[in-house]
Amino acid sequence: MSDSYDDGAAWVRRFHPSDGAPRRLFCFPHAGGSASFFFPTSRSLAPGTDVLAVQYPGRQDRRNEPNIPDMAQMADRAAAALLPWTDLPYALFGHSMGATLAYEVARRLQSAGRPARALYVSGRRAPHRVLDDGLHQLSDAEMVADISALDGTGSQVFGDAELMDMILPAIRSDYQAAETYCYEPGSALDCPIHALTGFSDPRVPVRELHHWSEHTKDSFDLRVFSGGHFYLVEHHESVLECIAEGLRAI
C-alpha cells in the first residue's frame, strides 16, 4: 500500500474477498466508525456478495492521516477509490453519517457512468433535511456523554482515557462533516432507495426517513426496527436479510 493519502487502496477493506461473486456491496460506517464495523456483514454475505468496507482517514490503520471534516471532499475521494470496483453490479449501504456519504458517492459514480443498482440508507435524515445540531462543537466530556447515550461505541471504550483521546478527533471531524454538509440539488438516483431505521432513534424520527423517496427515480421502501440509533447491532440478522433480499435482485 502506498504512503500517499490519495492511494485508493487505503479506502477499501475486503475482509472476505469473494472474487467469484456476481455483485458487490460498498459499506460506509457511522461518524467515528471504522471499516471493521462491517466485518460481520462481510462474513455473513460472502462468498455470494463481495463486501468492500470503506475506511475513513484518521482511525485504526489510517490514524496517522489527517481527518477530513468535509463531506464533499470525503465523497470525492471515496468515489475515486471505489470506481475501479464498479465493474460488477453493486449497491451501497451507509449508516448514520455513512448514509449521506454513500448517497453522495452514488451520485458521483452515477455521473461517471457507473450507476448503483441500489442504495441502502440507515438511521439518517434525507440529504435536504440534514440539521446542524452543533455536536462537533461540544466539549470532549459532552461528546463522550452524547456517544454513550447512543450506545454505539461499546461501554469498555469510555473507561479507557487513552483510547478515547485517540478516537475523539475522528468523531469530532466526522460530526463536523455530517453537520456542515450542504445538499446541492441535482439529478435523482436511477436506483431504488431502501431506508432502514430504529423506531426509538433519538437522532432521527421515523417520519424523516420518508423524505429519502425524493432522491430516486426508482422505487422507495422503508423498514422500521425496534431499538435506537444502533438498532442494526441488535437486529443484525434481520438487517442482513433485508439487504441480501435486495442484493439478489441486482
Side-chain angles (χ1 to χ4, degrees):
M1 183 179 295
S2 167
D3 291 332
S4 169
Y5 293 156
D6 293 318
D7 184 0
W11 289 80
V12 175
R13 298 292 174 274
R14 292 173 80 208
F15 298 117
H16 306 88
S18 301
D19 293 327
R23 65 187 74 86
R24 291 196 170 105
L25 176 67
F26 304 150
C27 296
F28 298 78
H30 53 281
S34 59
S36 60
F37 182 77
F38 291 107
F39 183 91
T41 300
S42 174
R43 180 179 56 205
S44 296
L45 293 180
T49 298
D50 190 24
V51 177
L52 278 63
V54 174
Q55 183 77 303
Y56 309 144
R59 64 217 69 200
Q60 293 187 334
D61 55 339
R62 302 189 72 186
R63 61 185 177 276
N64 292 325
E65 299 180 37
N67 294 296
I68 304 177
D70 180 83
M71 186 71 71
Q73 185 181 352
M74 289 183 73
D76 286 344
R77 291 177 60 180
L82 292 170
L83 182 60
W85 297 94
T86 59
D87 56 316
L88 292 179
Y90 73 92
L92 308 93
F93 175 87
H95 177 61
S96 195
M97 178 197 78
T100 304
L101 185 56
Y103 164 75
E104 286 293 342
V105 169
R107 295 178 86 183
R108 285 157 171 77
L109 294 177
Q110 179 168 293
S111 295
R114 297 292 184 90
R117 297 294 184 89
L119 172 64
Y120 294 85
V121 292
S122 168
R124 182 69 168 163
R125 293 172 181 269
H128 65 294
R129 305 278 296 180
V130 169
L131 300 177
D132 183 354
D133 294 320
L135 297 177
H136 66 283
Q137 297 176 324
L138 295 175
S139 68
D140 286 354
E142 290 171 329
M143 189 166 289
V144 169
D146 177 76
I147 300 166
S148 179
L150 289 178
D151 193 31
T153 304
S155 57
Q156 70 277 10
V157 173
F158 301 114
D160 189 328
E162 183 176 352
L163 184 56
M164 286 304 299
D165 286 343
M166 289 177 60
I167 68 174
L168 274 176
I171 296 173
R172 188 179 300 280
S173 177
D174 289 352
Y175 276 10
Q176 182 176 344
E179 293 182 322
T180 61
Y181 164 75
C182 184
Y183 168 69
E184 295 186 7
S187 298
L189 295 178
D190 294 329
C191 67
I193 293 181
H194 307 280
L196 305 88
T197 195
F199 180 78
S200 304
D201 189 338
R203 284 273 200 271
V204 188
V206 172
R207 62 180 180 275
E208 283 293 331
L209 274 294
H210 290 280
H211 292 284
W212 278 100
S213 64
E214 300 173 41
H215 295 278
T216 177
K217 300 174 185 176
D218 206 300
S219 61
F220 169 82
D221 61 80
L222 171 63
R223 290 283 301 274
V224 181
F225 298 84
S226 62
H229 192 63
F230 283 91
Y231 73 92
L232 70 173
V233 176
E234 177 185 356
H235 296 287
H236 176 72
E237 294 301 324
S238 296
V239 170
L240 274 183
E241 179 52 37
C242 178
I243 296 173
E245 180 181 353
L247 290 175
R248 287 191 286 269
I250 73 173

